[in-house]
Amino acid sequence: MLKYRSCSILVAAATTALALTWLVADVEVMNAGHLSGLFYVGANAALPAGALADHIYRVSDERGYDGQFYYLIAHDPLNRRGFLAYVDTPRYRWRRIGLPGLAYVLAFGNDIWIDPVYVALELMFVFLGAYWLSAYASRNQRSAVWGLAFLLIPAVAVSLDRMTIDLPLAALSIALLLHASRGKPHWSAHAALIAAPLVRETGILLILAWCAFWALRKHFRYALAGAACALPAVGWWLFVALHTTPDRTGFLASFPFSGVVTWTIHAMAEPIAAYGPGADAATELVALTGIWLAFALAIYLAVKLRFHGSQWDLPELTVVLFAAFASLIAYQDIWASLYGIGRTLSPLLVALAAIALRDRRPLFAGPLLLAVPRIALQFAAEIKVALLTRS
């Protein structure tokens, strides 16, 4: 056991070193040495007047990306400075207080330290995620080196590229799968359950899967303890609801699969209009194929478990719950790129890959592997721009 743990630590350290290398290169080459450039603040993004706006680095992209909103939340988690007015959908964003709020607390609210603390937390979760994945692989008689694959998860790659909040949820998903495989909850599993829906509201699905897992095994005490872990998130969501205006964005569909079917028809009919020319469209279509494969595998698992008396383990429960949730996503901006849907559904891809590792069934790793070309293309494009800038 000590040998396996040491191997997992080494793999986690190597994974974190790779992530750190990318971030350092990104800061120095792409963002002129400005750490705030990692948050991908758009050239035309509205920012509060004052020192924060004066010192933040803006990218050439006019709109920027979601990381810019979590940057503002990290600097004003309770809206005492009025930053809420500069966030696109405040109620939607502020529910995800986990990572920005922790950065604020650990930096003692000091604007100078919040950015490096936020980035350090992302790296900490890279280490933990890779460690847990390596330990999960070892527990299932696989090489600990599989922990390096943590960097292939869309939520991880996108978060390292744009400082979004999805990376920690991917790590916590793996932690819960590892704890469930050990047969008895540990206190750290409950810590992961508390954190998951605070990081992103879809983390509540991990709690539902966890509770169902133990309830099906007649361990109702464990299931109730897991359910209680949702209370801090529910309390925070109520607080946010009382202090923000309702979000009118139509995220959920009335009929299952209507959102993904609508986008798929558009993408297949007009791939260049949907994704852009050449390799962009090709790799996005490959990734979209992976999402459909994930749906197919989820349906297969649900039928198999329902009618063939197979055991519902946590990976299977996670797959079915996240696939059911994904089938109700109507908002087309989420489906419009792997950067959107890939990070949203990373727990689904993680759970499928966990089944692949556990059962030696490579097909279940397919949805995750089909996302890799699009991520690789994005990083390659940024590296190319960086090299041209330096030359």
Side-chain angles (χ1 to χ4, degrees):
M1 180 63 71
L2 184 60
K3 177 184 176 182
Y4 290 143
R5 185 170 297 175
S6 299
C7 289
S8 294
I9 291 173
L10 288 173
V11 170
T15 307
T16 308
L18 289 172
L20 177 60
T21 300
W22 168 259
L23 292 180
V24 170
D26 197 354
V27 169
E28 292 300 323
V29 179
M30 297 291 291
N31 298 301
H34 297 275
L35 189 66
S36 61
L38 294 175
F39 294 86
Y40 212 77
V41 179
N44 293 337
L47 291 174
L52 196 67
D54 293 341
H55 291 91
I56 197 168
Y57 183 83
R58 293 176 181 266
V59 297
S60 57
D61 188 323
E62 293 183 359
R63 293 182 59 186
Y65 203 67
D66 293 0
Q68 64 191 346
F69 303 121
Y70 302 118
Y71 176 91
L72 293 174
I73 295 171
H75 285 267
D76 188 21
L78 297 178
N79 194 37
R80 291 174 176 170
R81 302 163 70 177
F83 287 6
L84 183 144
Y86 299 90
V87 174
D88 61 347
T89 50
R91 181 172 295 186
Y92 175 70
R93 303 290 182 190
W94 242 272
R95 286 198 298 258
R96 303 169 178 183
I97 194 62
L99 185 59
L102 185 58
Y104 180 88
V105 170
L106 294 179
F108 299 100
N110 189 323
D111 282 338
I112 295 175
W113 289 106
I114 288 172
D115 297 3
V117 169
Y118 188 111
V119 175
L121 286 171
E122 294 272 31
L123 288 170
M124 181 191 77
F125 277 104
V126 168
F127 181 91
L128 291 174
Y131 173 81
W132 288 325
L133 180 55
S134 179
Y136 183 86
S138 297
R139 186 168 188 83
N140 288 281
Q141 289 76 53
R142 307 292 183 270
S143 171
V145 177
W146 278 108
L148 288 166
F150 185 70
L151 293 175
L152 300 180
I153 300 170
V156 176
V158 177
S159 293
L160 290 174
D161 191 34
R162 305 286 173 87
M163 286 295 119
T164 59
I165 45 78
D166 309 278
L167 190 161
L169 187 62
L172 294 170
S173 302
I174 298 170
L176 292 172
L177 296 177
L178 176 62
H179 282 296
S181 70
R182 290 172 174 169
K184 185 178 180 181
H186 187 264
W187 67 266
S188 56
H190 294 122
L193 288 168
I194 291 170
L198 287 169
V199 169
R200 187 180 176 118
E201 62 275 14
T202 50
I204 201 71
L205 297 175
L206 297 177
I207 294 181
L208 290 174
W210 179 267
C211 294
F213 172 77
W214 293 111
L216 289 170
R217 284 156 179 74
K218 310 299 183 184
H219 294 301
F220 298 110
R221 181 164 59 93
Y222 297 157
L224 288 173
C229 293
L231 293 177
V234 172
W236 173 254
W237 296 346
L238 289 173
F239 174 83
V240 171
L242 291 171
H243 292 84
T244 56
T245 56
D247 184 4
R248 304 299 182 186
T249 306
F251 285 102
L252 297 182
S254 301
F255 302 99
F257 298 104
S258 61
V260 64
V261 168
T262 299
W263 179 259
T264 301
I265 292 172
H266 170 59
M268 295 296 291
E270 301 180 86
I272 295 177
Y275 297 125
D280 287 344
T283 53
E284 286 282 8
L285 288 172
V286 168
L288 183 60
T289 302
I291 297 300
W292 276 109
L293 176 59
F295 281 132
L297 292 171
I299 293 170
Y300 164 78
L301 289 172
V303 171
K304 177 184 176 183
L305 294 167
R306 174 64 179 84
F307 295 105
H308 296 279
S310 302
Q311 189 176 40
W312 287 80
D313 285 327
L314 188 59
E316 285 81 358
L317 286 163
T318 303
V319 167
V320 171
L321 282 173
F322 267 90
F325 159 74
S327 73
L328 295 175
I329 297 175
Y331 191 49
Q332 293 296 283
D333 278 7
I334 294 178
W335 292 110
S337 73
L338 179 70
Y339 260 47
I341 195 60
R343 59 192 176 91
T344 301
L345 297 186
S346 279
L348 167 62
L349 304 183
V350 165
L352 286 169
I355 294 173
L357 270 177
R358 185 194 65 196
D359 299 342
R360 291 184 172 87
R361 302 182 73 178
L363 179 63
F364 284 81
L368 177 58
L369 294 177
L370 289 172
V372 172
R374 181 66 188 95
I375 296 293
L377 181 66
Q378 178 69 30
F379 277 66
E382 294 183 13
I383 292 171
K384 180 180 179 180
V385 170
L387 292 175
L388 291 174
T389 302
R390 297 289 287 184
S391 61

